[in-house]
């Protein structure tokens, strides 16, 4: 996966100062298989964390946690969310070749992602987050699970096409195959 180490080498001439974890990426198909297998294989202190296993966890990727250790993530304001030493696992999803469609897809993802993270206590109060929450709550009476599923659908909507552009959410990192 192109993750913190390559980005750090290019952008920071070394490691990213705040990037203190390991990132793994896999195709969506393998990511889904990993979820199925790991939910059966990991028992005890090793856990897979995503919204469906921990409904206080808002992120669009999963974490493999060792809960024998406690880790305080500064960005998380949600004290109820499971924590521990972790590895982030990102799915690789496809995007349209069209720049306009790609920007629309990323905007839709980021809009819902901001709402989900804010509502579950992972984002601080600020005008942007308050407005997103206000707009969604005015026009919808749906539960947070609805929006998590909608965000997942947005991430996957071009996976059946054979486009050569791959995206890694939530950073909207785009990889282009040569």
């Amino acid at each position: 996966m192109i993750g913190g180490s390559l980005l750090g080498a290019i952008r920071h001439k070394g490691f990213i100062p705040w990037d203190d974890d390991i990132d793994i990426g896999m195709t969506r198909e393998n990511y889904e298989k990993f979820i199925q297998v790991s939910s059966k294989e990991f028992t005890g202190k090793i856990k897979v964390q995503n919204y469906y296993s921990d409904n206080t966890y808002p992120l669009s990727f999963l974490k493999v946690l060792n809960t024998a250790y406690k880790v305080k993530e500064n960005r998380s304001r949600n004290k109820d969310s499971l924590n521990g030493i972790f590895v982030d696992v990102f799915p690789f999803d496809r995007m349209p070749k069209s720049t306009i469609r790609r920007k629309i897809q990323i905007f839709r993802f980021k809009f819902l992602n901001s709402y989900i993270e804010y509502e579950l206590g992972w984002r601080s109060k600020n005008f942007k987050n308050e407005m997103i929450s206000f707009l969604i709550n005015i026009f919808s009476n749906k539960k947070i699970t609805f929006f998590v599923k909608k965000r997942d659908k947005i991430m996957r909507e071009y996976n059946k096409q054979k486009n050569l552009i791959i995206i890694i959410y939530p950073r909207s990192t785009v990889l282009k195959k040569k």
Side-chain angles (χ1 to χ4, degrees), residues 17 19 22 25 47 54 58 64-65 67 69 88 107 118 137 139 142 145 162:
D19 193 11
I22 295 172
K47 304 211 180 292
D54 175 1
V64 177
L65 297 165
T67 60
Y69 303 92
D88 291 335
F107 173 80
Y118 178 73
N137 288 323
F139 293 108
K142 306 276 187 200
T145 306
K162 294 299 176 195

Side-chain angles (χ1 to χ4, degrees), residues 48-65:
V48 171
Q49 183 183 37
N50 61 23
Y51 177 79
Y52 304 104
S53 67
D54 175 1
N55 66 5
T56 65
Y57 179 79
L59 304 178
S60 61
F61 54 92
L62 67 83
K63 290 184 179 197
V64 177
L65 297 165

